[in-house]
Amino acid sequence: MARLLAFDTSTETLSVAVRHGDAVIERTSAGGAQASSTLIPLVQALLAEAGLHLRELDAIAFGRGPGSFTGLRTACSVAQGLGFGAGVPLLPVDTLLAVAEEARHRFGAQKVLAVLDARMEQVYSAAYDFSTQAAPVAQAQLSAPEELVLPPGFVLAGNAFDAYGERLPAGGARHAALPTAAAMLRLAPALLTDGRSVAPADAWPLYVRDKVAQTTAERAAAKQQAT
């Protein structure tokens, strides 16, 4: 699997990368509301730079979540459209796993509690142990920052430190990390070997949270609990 496209729009940073043989080309851009208009042009530009056509890809990896609801729907719908049009299988990648892989690659972390800001005074989290081939120690969950438990020997990695700071568990190192497309490319070979690719019609986001917004009373209660 030497020809891969990957992208993530689950956070405020849009990340796209292409692998062609041993060469990896990566770009980032503003995510959020802008991702829906910039993702496809950026994909086209990177494929052209790599000298690839969509139909030549072995697979298309995308960040399936958890993360921004709008971002996840953007990534999934674009991946489905590209996959259907080119006849290419899709590889849904958990964003928290990509965060953990980024911390492993950049900081040498082997045991990682990945944490992403979920807004509404909550975080998404999952623990991974790369000494056992990135086996998840705990599945993705949604919780208040104070409810997180850092397993012994683990470090924190993600984008929740500025927002929640001291409300996150103490005792381990903290690494700023995002679910980058390059991380997904590094994860892709093992995931593909494990049979994780799917047909475009079977690709879906992983939301974890089942509610997009809080009522006024719920927001007030959350603020009171945080103070």
Side-chain angles (χ1 to χ4, degrees):
M1 293 292 179
R3 295 164 298 186
L4 300 168
L5 164 68
F7 50 82
D8 180 78
T9 59
S10 65
T11 71
E12 293 301 311
T13 299
L14 165 63
S15 178
V16 183
V18 173
R19 174 183 172 187
H20 190 187
D22 293 330
V24 173
I25 305 171
E26 181 182 13
R27 296 287 186 275
T28 59
S29 182
Q34 300 181 55
S36 59
S37 61
T38 57
L39 175 55
I40 291 179
L42 194 53
V43 165
Q44 293 172 328
L46 261 66
L47 287 173
E49 186 174 343
L52 284 172
H53 295 286
L54 271 173
R55 62 180 179 274
E56 296 177 311
L57 293 172
D58 296 310
I60 298 171
F62 71 97
R64 71 167 187 158
S68 158
F69 277 43
T70 300
L72 300 186
R73 287 193 292 268
T74 295
C76 187
S77 61
V78 169
Q80 286 179 324
L82 297 177
F84 274 124
V88 174
L90 304 185
L91 180 64
V93 180
D94 290 2
T95 51
L96 291 164
L97 173 58
V99 167
E101 162 58 24
E102 190 70 2
R104 182 207 65 80
H105 179 73
R106 291 176 55 199
F107 305 107
Q110 291 297 305
K111 298 181 177 183
V112 182
L113 178 61
V115 182
L116 287 172
D117 185 2
R119 310 293 184 180
M120 300 197 302
E121 303 297 323
Q122 293 178 312
V123 294
Y124 298 115
S125 66
Y128 298 92
D129 186 350
F130 286 93
S131 66
T132 57
Q133 299 182 346
V137 176
Q139 297 297 331
Q141 64 177 351
L142 176 70
S143 68
E146 296 86 355
E147 295 173 349
L148 282 182
V149 176
L150 185 65
F154 277 67
V155 301
L156 283 169
N159 69 347
F161 306 123
D162 288 343
Y164 300 111
E166 296 181 357
R167 296 172 61 187
L168 293 165
R174 296 185 173 191
H175 301 303
L178 291 174
T180 66
M184 293 178 186
L185 291 182
R186 292 191 296 270
L187 292 165
L191 295 175
L192 290 167
T193 299
D194 198 34
R196 302 293 185 88
S197 64
V198 299
D202 297 320
W204 298 98
L206 173 65
Y207 290 120
V208 177
R209 170 185 282 148
D210 58 6
K211 191 174 183 180
V212 179
Q214 293 175 313
T215 66
T216 301
E218 288 171 333
R219 290 196 298 270
K223 288 181 179 180
Q224 184 176 6
Q225 182 180 7
T227 55

